[in-house]
Amino acid sequence: MTVKQFFKSTAFKSLAVLLSIVILAGALLAIFNDLLFVSSEERFARSMKKIYGGNATVKQTVLAADDKAVAVGDATVNQVYLMDDGNYLVQTTGNGGYQGGSITVWVIFACTGSKAGNNLKWNGIERVVYESNNKQSYIDRFSDADYALFASHNAQLLEGKLFDDGITVVKTGASAPLTFGALTTAVNAAVIYFKANILGEEEESLYKFDSWVDLEKSEWTPDLANNKVTYKLVMKKNGPAPSFTVNVTVTNGSITAFSHEGSVASPDSFADSIDPSVLDYSLFIGKTAEQILALVKDDGSKFPKDSGALEDLGLTTGATYSTEVFLYAAAFAAANFDTILYATKFDSWVDAEKSEITADSEAATVTYKLVMKKNGPAPSFTVNVTVTNGSITAFSHEGSVASPDSFADSIDASVLDYSLFIGKTAEQILALVKDDGSKFPKDSDALEDLGLTTGATYSTEVFLYAAAYAAANYDVYLAKGGTQA
């Protein structure tokens, strides 16, 4: 076939038509791409409008989607935005759902004022909006009413309570307790993050005067038998006064030993200006906690910053900042004596206000009536434990241990008949605790490692924590005389 014949052939005509269609389609596609193009900013704005509703737009990004998520307990905070109406929008993912899955939601925090105006006020949760889930097969059972539950407890929320920790949330139509537990975890994480990072609220410290002590580097040893605590306190730098170490022993609430290590002033010559009663420790030795705390001025949270105030204490006015460090070391040791001597473990799972603990020193027995906190779908119930000479000698429970009640059938028989606990020493009970001793595993495989069946994991954990709490804190409550002392 010649070239001329090819151009006149049917094959060429078909090819020409196809090429024309491709060129035309490409041109049309290019035109439509330009006409229908949506920028990433526009897609984000549309997404925010769908989630938030109304006409509000993002005013400021606090935590963007591509930022590293912030861990809050068994949840993560993924995104945070300040809306132009003054409210905050927080996305969180709560774990611990069905099959170890999760649920992700948006929580809208209703606010007035602003941080910039130094008058930001939180008025509660406006609403919770579902985003996505992982492995939660019953998610379609959740109605708008289930998500609206969280905005119906704002009075309690503003009092400082959390859901399932002071606020009882009763599900409406959703019969998926594990998923609802993950949802509750997600909302609580949003509240905790918002209060700490937006409102700037600081959690109440366990220790008094801790702002002057490097807690990570400091050490202390409680001695229950001798009613004594020995401290090695690494004090923080205070103005020109350098960081140095103060060793303190407090016995029966009084300071019985005091010393220091390292340079106490900068330059060192300033140490000559410190009152002799501070440097020879006679200001502290032999004083009761009450007498030491009498040195603290104002509301007890700070010492005065001027030499005249030190003169009121009968001290010379030189090296004010170094003198303050000594005073704070003594105050920390004295004020925290009881807290450190009688420190307890596993507190986060026990409702301390509702629980009752009595001790009989002659019988070497501590009797517990522990009201355990709600744990995911597992309801709050009471566990009675008796520990004698460090071993559990009696164990029982009151109330429903699972939700729904039928889930109790899945709890290992050794848990429900208490044979897992009776007769075991504190060491044997604590061997059931995994990791660092602060938590139990959240998966069925870990319970199988303990020789337990995998059903009703959350309820089983509550029993384990009650036993661990009673055994681990036996010595403390025996020395203290129970919670009534």
Side-chain angles (χ1 to χ4, degrees):
M1 178 184 294
T2 64
V3 174
K4 189 174 184 179
Q5 288 174 326
F6 171 74
F7 282 115
K8 289 182 178 181
S9 69
T10 302
F12 173 74
K13 292 177 181 178
S14 299
L15 181 61
V17 170
L18 288 174
L19 287 172
S20 299
I21 292 172
V22 170
I23 293 170
L24 179 60
L28 290 173
L29 182 60
I31 293 170
F32 277 108
N33 273 341
D34 288 339
L35 291 174
L36 301 178
F37 174 75
V38 179
S39 66
S40 58
E41 291 80 5
E42 177 62 22
R43 285 197 298 272
F44 176 76
R46 290 179 183 179
S47 177
M48 287 293 102
K49 188 171 183 179
K50 180 180 177 182
I51 295 163
Y52 194 79
N55 297 315
T57 58
V58 171
K59 180 178 181 180
Q60 178 186 344
T61 298
V62 180
L63 187 67
D66 55 355
D67 290 334
K68 184 178 180 181
V70 177
V72 179
D74 200 16
T76 58
V77 177
N78 310 313
Q79 301 180 59
V80 183
Y81 303 98
L82 168 62
M83 309 303 288
D84 63 5
D85 62 0
N87 291 346
Y88 282 84
L89 181 61
V90 180
Q91 188 202 73
T92 54
T93 298
N95 299 308
Y98 178 64
Q99 292 187 336
S102 62
I103 182 171
T104 299
V105 296
W106 294 89
V107 182
I108 299 173
F109 291 89
C111 300
T112 52
S114 67
K115 292 186 72 172
N118 200 30
N119 62 346
L120 179 64
K121 180 184 178 184
W122 176 37
N123 301 308
I125 289 177
E126 185 171 296
R127 65 182 177 277
V128 175
V129 181
Y130 169 76
E131 169 68 20
S132 62
N133 77 88
N134 175 37
K135 298 192 291 189
Q136 304 310 288
S137 55
Y138 284 172
I139 195 67
D140 58 342
R141 296 187 180 186
F142 283 73
S143 66
D144 291 341
D146 290 301
Y147 298 103
L149 282 171
F150 297 97
S152 64
H153 296 276
N154 282 334
Q156 292 173 284
L157 202 61
L158 294 174
E159 289 175 359
K161 299 175 182 177
L162 291 173
F163 298 102
D164 287 340
D165 189 6
I167 302 176
T168 301
V169 185
V170 181
K171 298 186 292 296
T172 56
S175 56
L178 292 174
T179 301
F180 196 83
L183 171 59
T184 301
T185 297
V187 177
N188 277 341
V191 172
I192 293 168
Y193 176 92
F194 176 80
K195 291 171 67 175
N197 296 276
I198 305 301
L199 296 181
E201 292 184 7
E202 295 183 5
E203 290 188 23
E204 185 176 348
S205 175
L206 178 63
Y207 306 110
K208 298 177 181 177
F209 311 113
D210 63 344
S211 62
W212 285 55
V213 178
D214 190 328
L215 297 179
E216 292 186 1
K217 295 180 180 178
S218 297
E219 301 173 4
W220 46 77
T221 305
D223 181 351
L224 286 164
N226 295 299
N227 203 34
K228 178 174 69 175
V229 178
T230 303
Y231 300 83
K232 188 179 186 71
L233 301 176
V234 178
M235 307 303 292
K236 293 180 180 178
K237 190 176 185 299
N238 178 34
S243 168
F244 59 93
T245 299
V246 179
N247 304 302
V248 190
T249 300
V250 181
T251 308
N252 296 319
S254 300
I255 291 179
T256 52
F258 201 102
S259 65
H260 79 274
E261 304 172 19
S263 173
V264 300
S266 180
D268 287 340
S269 59
F270 272 58
D272 298 336
S273 301
I274 299 175
D275 193 277
S277 67
V278 173
L279 280 184
D280 68 11
Y281 320 127
S282 60
L283 180 64
F284 315 114
I285 298 292
K287 281 194 169 64
T288 65
E290 184 179 6
Q291 289 171 317
I292 290 294
L293 295 180
L295 301 176
V296 183
K297 297 292 185 180
D298 302 322
D299 62 355
S301 65
K302 60 181 182 293
F303 283 103
K305 285 288 186 184
D306 60 90
S307 57
L310 291 178
E311 285 184 337
D312 291 342
L313 298 176
L315 304 176
T316 52
T317 61
T320 303
Y321 290 89
S322 299
T323 301
E324 285 183 339
V325 176
F326 278 104
L327 288 167
Y328 263 109
F332 180 93
N336 296 303
F337 173 71
D338 284 344
T339 299
I340 291 172
L341 184 65
Y342 300 124
T344 53
K345 300 177 181 178
F346 310 116
D347 294 337
S348 62
W349 284 55
V350 176
D351 190 328
E353 292 184 0
K354 296 180 181 178
S355 298
E356 298 176 9
I357 303 166
T358 57
D360 183 343
S361 58
E362 291 186 6
T365 296
V366 178
T367 304
Y368 300 82
K369 188 179 184 71
L370 300 176
V371 178
M372 307 302 293
K373 291 182 180 178
K374 189 176 184 300
N375 178 34
S380 168
F381 59 93
T382 299
V383 180
N384 303 302
V385 191
T386 301
V387 182
T388 304
N389 293 318
S391 300
I392 291 179
T393 52
F395 201 101
S396 65
H397 78 273
E398 303 171 21
S400 173
V401 300
S403 179
D405 287 339
S406 60
F407 272 56
D409 297 336
S410 301
I411 299 175
D412 193 275
S414 67
V415 174
L416 280 185
D417 68 10
Y418 319 128
S419 59
L420 181 64
F421 313 114
I422 298 293
K424 282 193 168 64
T425 65
E427 184 179 6
Q428 290 171 317
I429 290 294
L430 295 180
L432 301 176
V433 184
K434 297 291 185 180
D435 302 323
D436 61 355
S438 65
K439 61 181 183 295
F440 284 102
K442 287 287 185 184
D443 60 89
S444 57
D445 289 342
L447 289 179
E448 284 184 338
D449 291 343
L450 299 176
L452 304 175
T453 54
T454 60
T457 302
Y458 290 85
S459 299
T460 301
E461 285 183 340
V462 177
F463 279 105
L464 288 167
Y465 262 109
Y469 184 92
N473 297 313
Y474 165 75
D475 288 339
V476 169
Y477 282 116
L478 189 65
K480 185 181 180 182
T483 54
Q484 312 305 316

